[in-house]
Amino acid sequence: MDMVGKIACVVVLCMVMTAPYAEAAFTCGTIQGAMLSCLPYTQNRGPLGNCCNVIQALVSAAKTTQDRRTACTCLKKAYSVLKGIDLGKVAGIGAACGVNIPFKMSLSTDCNKVQ
């Protein structure tokens, strides 16, 4: 596993382990840090790698409507500013990983309507 994958795993592990004890654990920083392992795939530079594990952990950790809205907003922000992102690949990550993401991964998604 490369260094980015290891860092992403640690971030997700910390997020998942602390989420039941502190609502602040589900933040943009933890979400965006975890998604680092998906960058090679979404920038057409590599395979999915550890991305599916990260997506599954994030979906599992997003227990409340507010968690899901936070995740949606943070991901939209990240993917709108990062260079070279293939938004088609972003939208298809859930299907590619076999994970049911509770909102459409798209810049057009209204995160305030995410349940």
Side-chain angles (χ1 to χ4, degrees), residues 26 31 58-59 62-76 100-115:
F26 207 81
I31 293 164
L58 287 173
V59 169
K63 304 247 184 258
T64 68
T65 297
Q66 187 56 50
D67 288 345
R68 291 183 287 277
R69 288 179 179 172
T70 297
C72 176
T73 301
C74 295
L75 291 171
K76 276 181 64 171
N100 183 22
I101 299 173
F103 54 87
K104 183 179 177 184
M105 301 246 308
S106 168
L107 295 179
S108 65
T109 298
D110 182 350
C111 296
N112 291 320
K113 293 183 180 179
V114 170
Q115 296 296 313

Side-chain angles (χ1 to χ4, degrees), residues 9-73:
C9 285
V10 170
V11 170
V12 171
L13 182 60
C14 290
M15 181 184 69
V16 171
M17 290 180 72
T18 59
Y21 308 108
E23 285 189 36
F26 207 81
T27 66
C28 277
T30 55
I31 293 164
Q32 292 170 349
M35 294 304 293
L36 287 175
S37 67
C38 296
L39 277 181
Y41 176 73
T42 60
Q43 292 176 325
N44 294 307
R45 296 184 294 114
L48 276 166
N50 194 46
C51 180
C52 292
N53 294 333
V54 169
I55 295 291
Q56 181 61 56
L58 287 173
V59 169
S60 295
K63 304 247 184 258
T64 68
T65 297
Q66 187 56 50
D67 288 345
R68 291 183 287 277
R69 288 179 179 172
T70 297
C72 176
T73 301

